[in-house]
Amino acid sequence: MADQENCARLTRAAKKRAASVAALGNTEDQPLTKKRVVLGELPNLSNAVVIPVTKSLKAEHQKPKGNAKAKLKVIRALEPRKTTALNKKRDVEAEVDVDPALDDPQMCEPYVTDIYDYLRSMEVEPKRRPLPDYIEKVQKDISANMRGILVDWLVEVSEEYKLLSDSLYLTISYIDRFLSSNVINRQKLQLLGVSSMLIASKYEEINPPNVEDFCYITDNTYTKQEMVKMEADVFKSLKFEMGNPTTKTFLRRLSRVSQEDYKTSSLQLEFLGYYLAELSLLDYSCVKFLPSLVAASVIYLARFITRPKVHPWNPTLQQYSGYKTSDIKECVLTIHDLYLGRRGGALQAVREKYKQHKFKYVANLPSSPEIPMSYFEDVKELKLDL
């Protein structure tokens, strides 16, 4: 009986295996119903297979963010190590290394330093820099006040069409570079502004506004033909060198560096930095400053506004920005005056933009009217004095 039961069991098991093999064979013979997906079709898919993969990937990257530092401390505490000079050197490097971990390939950690070195060299190229005094030396019918009004209006246009801030920064860069070598009258200044924004939105946006949209936003002051011609003139004048680093380019990295000594990630500090950076676009006197220097000044001032009793600069920020406090002093004081309304007080578009809830009302944050001069002393000297 036992042998018969075993035979029966083996027979049933064999039948199950045979059935599963046959099922697999049938699926192999049948044509696959899953089609290749074009990237443009991805948002329209309702396939449930895609969604869990995205969520799991996000979970893998997001999970370490909250407990990464705590886990790192526990691991380091449990690991027995020799206190050699090499280990000490590695500890110091680990403390100041705020670049993304190797497990996130999209952040290009192995060569992020080389990328920013290249951007720093690119921003000083003469062909990518406007003249610091082009209004005095080149233009005859345009003033600094007119430029400020134009930039303020372009901020409203970028909000109207929901453009990226990168498009706005590139727009202002194109305007300043064009005006550095081409004389135009005040009637054409707005045309230059919208044509530059048209180019920048084509460069940065996935779905940029079309020419008719920009004609409409000017109340049809200019025709489509005029705008296309000005677009061509800008391209020729800039010799098709349309890609250049802006303040936002450097601000992304420095914003992360600046929050290393904060207990929690501060969205308020990040938005305040964006607000101050856009304020700097309004003032003609900021044209002479390099984008990386403006970004460093913005971070300095944002830290001062949020924590006025703590020195806003530190060796880590100095290392990653490449600037000492003495280097950014003039730019910091200029942007601080803009923040307090001492300069450009009549230009309200940027201020109204950052009074919204989505930006944490950073335009309403109070600030001390003066920055202590001791805060502009070198951070290394301050450490030695302590």
Side-chain angles (χ1 to χ4, degrees):
M1 288 292 292
D3 293 337
Q4 289 178 358
E5 288 178 2
N6 288 335
C7 291
R9 288 173 186 170
L10 290 171
T11 303
R12 285 196 294 270
K15 285 182 178 180
K16 287 182 179 179
R17 285 196 296 271
S20 62
V21 170
L24 289 173
N26 291 334
T27 55
E28 289 176 359
D29 295 335
Q30 294 174 357
L32 293 174
T33 57
K34 190 174 180 181
K35 298 179 181 179
R36 290 187 179 183
V37 179
V38 182
L39 287 177
E41 297 174 0
L42 284 176
N44 300 324
L45 292 178
S46 58
N47 192 341
V49 178
V50 178
I51 298 171
V53 173
T54 307
K55 288 184 177 179
S56 63
L57 285 174
K58 286 185 178 179
E60 287 178 6
H61 289 297
Q62 290 177 356
K63 188 175 179 181
K65 288 184 180 179
N67 302 320
K69 292 183 179 179
K71 288 182 179 179
L72 187 59
K73 289 179 181 178
V74 173
I75 292 169
R76 286 181 176 175
L78 293 176
E79 286 180 352
R81 297 182 304 167
K82 295 180 180 179
T83 57
T84 61
L86 180 61
N87 285 333
K88 288 181 179 179
K89 182 180 179 182
R90 287 174 179 171
D91 288 344
V92 172
E93 290 177 353
E95 286 175 6
V96 299
D97 186 14
V98 297
D99 286 322
L102 285 167
D103 59 354
D104 190 354
Q106 291 186 347
M107 300 306 290
C108 310
E109 192 273 342
Y111 39 88
V112 64
T113 303
D114 295 331
I115 290 173
Y116 276 93
D117 288 343
Y118 171 69
L119 292 172
R120 289 290 297 270
S121 64
M122 184 189 290
E123 70 171 345
V124 298
E125 293 177 5
K127 64 181 178 181
R128 302 180 193 275
R129 291 291 302 152
L131 294 177
D133 51 358
Y134 67 80
I135 287 182
E136 295 83 4
K137 289 189 175 180
V138 179
Q139 300 303 321
K140 299 176 181 178
D141 195 32
I142 296 173
S143 66
N145 186 49
M146 292 177 191
R147 178 192 176 277
I149 293 171
L150 174 66
V151 173
D152 193 60
W153 177 73
L154 288 172
V155 172
E156 292 182 355
V157 175
S158 67
E159 281 290 285
E160 178 70 22
Y161 290 128
K162 296 179 172 56
L163 301 181
L164 298 171
S165 58
D166 301 79
S167 300
L168 177 64
Y169 285 99
L170 277 181
T171 300
I172 310 307
S173 173
Y174 297 160
I175 292 170
D176 289 330
R177 288 167 61 193
F178 183 87
L179 293 176
S180 296
S181 57
N182 298 273
V183 180
I184 66 172
N185 56 42
R186 65 183 68 188
Q187 286 77 22
K188 297 291 184 181
L189 186 60
Q190 188 181 20
L191 176 61
L192 171 63
V194 290
S195 299
S196 297
M197 183 162 279
L198 174 63
I199 297 170
S201 59
K202 287 179 180 179
Y203 190 91
E204 287 288 348
E205 305 291 333
I206 296 174
N207 295 308
N210 54 40
V211 180
E212 288 79 5
D213 292 327
F214 285 109
C215 290
Y216 170 79
I217 206 70
T218 63
D219 197 20
N220 294 311
T221 305
Y222 309 103
T223 64
K224 179 179 178 180
Q225 290 72 24
E226 287 178 313
M227 195 167 295
V228 171
K229 184 181 183 305
M230 177 60 79
E231 180 187 21
D233 291 342
V234 173
F235 276 124
K236 291 176 184 177
S237 177
L238 304 187
K239 295 179 175 60
F240 292 87
E241 295 285 352
M242 314 315 294
N244 56 281
T246 64
T247 300
K248 187 68 177 287
T249 307
F250 298 98
L251 200 55
R252 288 189 177 94
R253 191 187 196 199
L254 289 181
S255 293
R256 187 172 65 253
V257 176
S258 67
Q259 297 185 41
E260 284 301 299
D261 56 350
Y262 279 62
K263 293 181 180 179
T264 58
S265 177
S266 176
L267 272 178
Q268 187 183 62
L269 180 68
E270 186 175 345
F271 289 143
L272 182 56
Y274 295 159
Y275 173 47
L276 295 171
E278 289 190 24
L279 280 179
S280 71
L281 296 174
L282 300 172
D283 201 289
Y284 169 67
S285 62
C286 289
V287 172
K288 62 185 175 184
F289 300 122
L290 290 171
S292 59
L293 189 142
V294 175
S297 304
V298 159
I299 292 298
Y300 179 102
L301 189 54
R303 287 168 61 90
F304 170 74
I305 292 171
T306 53
R307 299 196 304 186
K309 294 184 179 179
V310 180
H311 196 290
W313 212 235
N314 57 47
T316 305
L317 282 167
Q318 183 169 307
Q319 173 192 342
Y320 279 87
S321 69
Y323 294 105
K324 298 180 180 179
T325 50
S326 56
D327 300 327
I328 61 176
K329 179 180 177 180
E330 183 184 356
C331 187
V332 168
L333 294 176
T334 301
I335 299 175
H336 190 224
D337 287 343
L338 283 165
Y339 183 79
L340 295 174
R342 296 170 182 166
R343 305 169 74 107
L347 306 175
Q348 292 294 315
V350 179
R351 305 176 200 277
E352 292 299 324
K353 174 182 175 180
Y354 284 92
K355 285 179 181 178
Q356 300 178 65
H357 171 72
K358 65 179 180 179
F359 294 117
K360 304 291 184 183
Y361 310 105
V362 291
N364 295 327
L365 291 176
S367 175
S368 172
E370 301 295 335
I371 302 175
M373 287 298 105
S374 60
Y375 282 1
F376 291 107
E377 295 177 6
D378 186 69
V379 289
K380 291 183 178 180
E381 294 177 0
L382 287 171
K383 287 183 70 176
L384 290 172
D385 292 338
L386 292 173

